Amino acid sequence: MTRLSVLAKTLAASLFAVAAFAPAHAQNADVQKQLSSGTFNIISPFPAGGPVDTLARLLAEGLTQRYGQPAVVENAAGAAGNIGMDKVKRAKGDGHTLLVIPAGNLTINPTLMPNFPFNIEKDFVPVTMLAKAPNVVVASPSSGIKNAKDLVAQAKAKPGTLSYASPGVGSGLHLAGELFKQQTGTDLLHVAYKGTAPALTDTVGGIVPLMFTNLPAALPFIQNGKLVAIGITEAQRSPVAPNIPTLAEQGVQGVNVTSWYGLLAPAGTPAPVAEQLAKDAADILAKPEVQDKLKAQGMSQSTMTPAAFAKAMKDETAVWAGIIKARRIVAE
């Protein structure tokens, strides 16, 4: 091949690359221009102060800096998150109305709640998972349970009598307990509380020997010896508490349950807008000062593409639907 032929081929390849890049670059610029055209309304369907609110405010601050437009957080609490979800469902799909929401509203409630008023796939567009917080099984010191082996042994010795607490029927932590039962062939007794705080109080006090809970909520009690950490319900140890082993390390497989929080937009939001917002969220949450705030809440960044997020929701929904139906769990 002559030198001239090589140069010609190189030039042709370069021109093709430029031509392919130009439309994508122009489209990206158009999307950013659109997002810069108005105020962002970020719906947090729960009261101020919790992890959903924290993530909404971190996102709002980042979007304001990025696009030079106000980003307002609205705590539209009520009806277990349904009020805020309905506001987003009815909003225009232009990327300016967004929903920050915990996993349970997306992957548990559609099966658990009779007459659930939303079709997650049709009413919303997945943008990205934002962050996750590890869960942990804890025991009262008075229970004598020190690890997963002890827990399984006690449960099998007295079927249906060893109890575990959760923040409520149908919560992700209740279902984590049910998944544990399924995977280990044990029969634990579920004790539902109205929230994490009273459940933790009774577990610390030994009234209930076990609890499935968020690691950030339990960590202070683990550190001062008032609770025994049995195992993390994730595939990997948590950077927040690296000394706590996973259940999988101890021979309990298939109990991979994480508390996570996602970002959704109204139906009709164009795919390029959702993809840009996913990139924005990833950049915002990757900032060192934001990472510090996440860690203070016991969370870590878990951003992904809209397509990956949609698949993660679909897969998790199928798992929980199977557990809910097999265990005949009914919302209270």
Side-chain angles (χ1 to χ4, degrees), residues 9-173:
K9 285 195 172 185
T10 302
L11 179 60
S14 299
L15 289 172
F16 178 81
V18 169
F21 172 76
H25 180 71
Q27 183 184 62
N28 187 53
D30 288 343
V31 169
Q32 292 184 356
K33 183 178 179 180
Q34 178 189 334
L35 290 172
S36 301
S37 67
T39 298
F40 292 94
N41 189 26
I42 303 176
I43 304 297
S44 168
F46 295 96
V52 173
D53 180 68
T54 296
L55 285 166
R57 294 184 188 281
L58 290 173
L59 189 63
E61 183 178 352
L63 288 174
T64 296
Q65 293 173 356
R66 182 160 289 232
Y67 290 107
Q69 292 288 347
V72 179
V73 174
E74 180 181 353
N75 295 100
N82 286 353
I83 290 176
M85 292 179 72
D86 189 64
K87 289 181 74 74
V88 176
K89 173 186 174 180
R90 297 174 184 277
K92 184 178 179 181
D94 60 3
H96 288 95
T97 300
L98 300 169
L99 173 70
V100 179
I101 190 86
N105 290 76
L106 304 174
T107 64
I108 295 174
N109 288 359
T111 304
L112 180 72
M113 296 179 68
N115 303 315
F116 186 65
F118 308 103
N119 182 313
I120 300 300
E121 291 187 1
K122 293 182 178 180
D123 294 336
F124 304 98
V125 169
V127 176
T128 184
M129 192 181 290
L130 292 170
K132 62 182 181 179
N135 297 325
V136 63
V137 188
V138 293
S140 166
S142 63
S143 70
I145 299 171
K146 297 180 180 179
N147 51 47
K149 184 178 178 181
D150 291 344
L151 170 51
V152 172
Q154 278 205 29
K156 288 189 173 181
K158 298 179 180 180
T161 60
L162 187 64
S163 58
Y164 76 94
S166 86
V169 172
S171 65
L173 295 164

Side-chain angles (χ1 to χ4, degrees), residues 14 19 40 52 75 83 94-95 97 120 135 167 169 174 187 203 207 243 256 260 270 277 279 293 307 312 329 332:
S14 299
F40 292 94
V52 173
N75 295 100
I83 290 176
D94 60 3
T97 300
I120 300 300
N135 297 325
V169 172
H174 169 206
D187 184 12
T203 308
I207 296 171
N243 293 329
N256 296 327
W260 55 261
L277 287 167
K279 292 175 184 176
K293 291 176 181 177
I329 299 168
E332 291 183 344

Side-chain angles (χ1 to χ4, degrees), residues 103 106-108 111 120-121 129 175 179 254 256-257 260 304 306-323:
L106 304 174
T107 64
I108 295 174
T111 304
I120 300 300
E121 291 187 1
M129 192 181 290
L175 298 186
L179 182 59
N256 296 327
V257 183
W260 55 261
M304 58 184 65
F309 183 37
K311 184 179 186 304
M313 284 196 294
K314 185 175 182 178
D315 291 347
E316 186 168 307
T317 299
V319 170
W320 291 140
I323 294 291

Side-chain angles (χ1 to χ4, degrees), residues 137 147-157 162 164 176-188 210 212 230 247-248 250-255 323 327:
V137 188
N147 51 47
K149 184 178 178 181
D150 291 344
L151 170 51
V152 172
Q154 278 205 29
K156 288 189 173 181
L162 187 64
Y164 76 94
E178 296 301 313
L179 182 59
F180 180 92
K181 289 161 60 175
Q182 176 178 285
Q183 295 302 108
T184 57
T186 55
D187 184 12
L188 301 174
L210 297 166
F212 286 76
I230 303 302
L247 291 177
Q250 302 174 72
V252 178
Q253 304 296 328
V255 187
I323 294 291
R327 299 289 175 174

